[in-house]
Amino acid sequence: MVDVLRLAPRAQPVETWPPPPPRPGWHYERSEQGEAVEYGPPAERDVAALRTQAARQIAHWTAAVEGLARPDNFAAPAAWESLEHRLGLALRTELQRAVDRLRPRARSLATALAAARTADQVQDVRRAVVALRHEVQQVETVADFYGDAVNSRTGHRLTALLGACDLLAVRSMEPVLVPLGQPVPRVLTYVDKGMGASILRAGVRLWDPAAISPVAAVKITRHNLLRPTALIHETGHQVAFQLGWNGELARTLHAAAAAAGTAVADEWAGWAQEIAADAFAFAHTGYAALAALHDVIAGPPRNVTTILPGDPHPPAYLRVLLGTAMCRDWYGAGPWDDMELAWLRSYPLDEVPRHRRDVLERSVPVLAPLARACLRRAATAFRGRALASFMDPGRVSPRELDALAGRAGPALHTSDYWADAEPLRILALSCLRMAQEGPGSDRTRTEFENWMTALGRRG
């Protein structure tokens, strides 16, 4: 009998996938080694994952809050030390106030996360972290702005010049705000590129809605640092804002331009806030302010004659002519007449398209009443007085400034007495001479720079 070999059955491989039926509420995944890995209930795993991410975010933004408390994270210690004490204190105090507001928020998030038990509760904490992140960014924007401004004070010369600008800015506001019982804000000037000056007014809300600007931050352009009449234009914005003059002046200008038609009067009313600042600068520095303005805005013809919808600035064409009208109203004949003649010759309206020309042509006959309205018209904002009753533009006429120079002699730019008594008229005189001397003004410019440097160092 033939033996029949019976092969033993092959061993069957153990299948590791798919896994056995899961227990209720549990689930499985394949590991890198191909093994089935059993995990706990999904809700518990989600909570752990969410908690880990939220905890790290809280730690990060808590540290970011503490970073805001360090002024040297935004400007060099030497730059902070260069500031006048009260000015630096105001900035650091506002920054510390923001940090003090954010710190409890960060601590409360850590407490809330520790108490969270469900995924929804952890998600609520995560959403609060995102809100804190947004607020940190807002405060950081404020700190960066002021830090950049403070950091622009590089070197002894520039620090002194900007310190002098701080002082001149404050002194320009005192003649109006002090008699009216209004606080005079501190001013931080800084230098930057560009064509025009600008201001972040004191008392306005900043990028962080919980913060109010503690100082007036005024940008001075590099090309105007030694001819800084634009500084006074910017403090004019602060005064007009603080007293609520802009809206009232808009109505006054509308009435003064009414003879040119409603459309023209509406345009002039819309330019009130810039005209208020121009009038303020003129009252303090006279023709010097106009000459400096002219040299900055005398651009290509299209730029000079274009009226941009919604732009608070009058077109350059009318802005210069309003300035010459102010000079003529207060001083009679003078170098502004030649400026006006050259301006009209350089920008003839017959070359301007009709749709842009109409408001310009119809405005010219009402420039004289508009000039008078800015400076001579009583205003409720000034408690029934006119702007010129606080700062008489006659005191900065070329004749009066020459008389001041004659009385003071060489001491005008070296004496502490004159620097304390007449800083704004020294500014006006120096800038007037630079305007009149043109290319030959190097000596005047050097004399003024030395005076500004000394004024800034003296504080």
Side-chain angles (χ1 to χ4, degrees):
M1 184 174 181
V2 176
D3 289 333
V4 178
L5 296 178
R6 297 183 181 275
L7 299 177
R10 291 183 178 179
Q12 296 297 314
V14 177
E15 293 288 343
T16 59
W17 199 266
R23 289 179 286 173
W26 291 65
H27 69 289
Y28 298 83
E29 292 181 10
R30 185 188 292 273
S31 71
E32 292 180 0
Q33 291 76 30
E35 299 174 348
V37 179
E38 189 176 51
Y39 286 94
E44 292 183 13
R45 185 187 177 209
D46 290 350
V47 170
L50 289 169
R51 187 186 303 278
T52 298
Q53 309 312 311
R56 189 182 61 251
Q57 287 177 280
I58 291 171
H60 176 82
W61 293 112
T62 299
V65 169
E66 295 306 316
L68 295 173
R70 296 180 58 90
D72 55 352
N73 279 346
F74 303 97
W80 284 108
E81 291 169 7
S82 73
L83 297 179
E84 186 268 334
H85 174 70
R86 288 179 300 173
L87 176 60
L89 180 62
L91 292 174
R92 287 190 293 269
T93 298
E94 186 60 38
L95 193 57
Q96 188 62 50
R97 185 178 294 119
V99 171
D100 290 343
R101 180 172 54 81
L102 293 177
R103 272 176 176 153
R105 296 276 307 280
R107 294 193 195 102
S108 70
L109 290 176
T111 302
L113 182 62
R117 293 291 177 265
T118 68
D120 286 343
Q121 290 172 337
V122 178
Q123 287 284 45
D124 287 341
V125 175
R126 187 192 63 80
R127 283 187 282 269
V129 173
V130 173
L132 175 67
R133 167 184 176 272
H134 178 66
E135 290 189 53
V136 170
Q137 289 178 309
Q138 289 179 314
V139 174
E140 186 179 55
T141 300
V142 176
D144 270 335
F145 173 81
Y146 287 119
D148 288 346
V150 172
N151 250 346
S152 74
R153 302 189 176 213
T154 55
H156 297 299
R157 170 185 172 274
L158 189 54
T159 296
L161 290 174
L162 291 174
C165 287
D166 294 345
L167 186 148
L168 289 168
V170 170
R171 291 291 294 269
S172 74
M173 294 184 285
E174 289 174 344
V176 179
L177 296 180
V178 171
L180 295 178
Q182 289 281 325
V184 180
R186 288 173 287 271
V187 176
L188 170 67
T189 56
Y190 63 100
V191 67
D192 205 350
K193 63 182 182 298
M195 292 299 292
S198 62
I199 184 171
L200 176 65
R201 298 185 303 264
V204 299
R205 291 204 174 274
L206 298 170
W207 299 271
D208 171 18
I212 300 295
S213 177
V215 302
V218 179
K219 167 194 163 184
I220 297 293
T221 57
R222 289 188 177 88
H223 66 82
N224 253 351
L225 187 57
L226 294 179
R227 200 181 172 192
T229 54
L231 173 70
I232 314 304
H233 171 96
E234 300 307 329
T235 56
H237 279 306
Q238 176 69 43
V239 169
F241 161 76
Q242 198 165 323
L243 297 178
W245 185 38
N246 289 326
E248 186 175 3
L249 181 61
R251 295 187 291 274
T252 299
L253 294 174
H254 194 281
T262 302
V264 174
D266 288 345
E267 293 283 7
W268 281 96
W271 299 326
Q273 68 182 59
E274 290 299 327
I275 293 171
D278 280 350
F280 189 84
F282 175 80
H284 271 301
T285 56
Y287 175 61
L290 175 60
L293 173 67
H294 169 283
D295 295 350
V296 171
I297 66 176
R302 182 176 181 83
N303 292 358
V304 168
T305 58
T306 295
I307 300 174
L308 298 174
D311 188 350
H313 297 83
Y317 182 86
L318 294 177
R319 200 171 173 190
V320 167
L321 294 180
L322 180 63
T324 60
M326 288 181 183
C327 289
R328 196 171 297 114
D329 182 44
W330 284 92
Y331 311 140
W336 39 90
D337 295 320
D338 284 343
M339 174 185 285
E340 184 177 279
L341 179 63
W343 188 255
L344 296 173
R345 184 85 173 210
S346 300
Y347 304 104
L349 291 185
D350 56 7
E351 297 179 4
V352 178
R354 169 54 64 183
H355 70 279
R356 299 205 334 254
R357 192 193 324 171
D358 187 53
V359 171
L360 304 179
E361 286 183 331
R362 290 165 60 191
S363 291
V364 171
V366 296
L367 287 171
L370 284 165
R372 289 193 293 272
C374 294
L375 292 153
R376 298 184 185 272
R377 188 72 55 84
T380 302
F382 301 131
R383 295 185 186 171
R385 296 170 60 181
L387 177 62
S389 71
F390 296 92
M391 301 103 58
D392 178 9
R395 296 186 71 247
V396 288
S397 70
R399 180 178 300 175
E400 285 295 318
L401 292 176
D402 283 343
L404 171 65
R407 288 197 305 273
L412 185 64
H413 288 90
T414 59
S415 162
D416 288 350
Y417 166 79
W418 287 112
D420 289 334
E422 299 284 6
L424 289 162
R425 288 217 289 168
I426 293 173
L427 168 68
L429 172 64
S430 300
C431 293
L432 174 65
R433 286 178 170 174
M434 283 185 255
Q436 292 175 326
E437 293 166 359
S441 62
D442 287 350
R443 179 178 176 181
T444 297
R445 193 179 303 275
T446 299
E447 184 178 54
F448 180 63
E449 179 177 358
N450 291 338
W451 177 79
M452 286 273 287
T453 303
L455 181 66
R457 287 174 178 163
R458 195 163 59 89

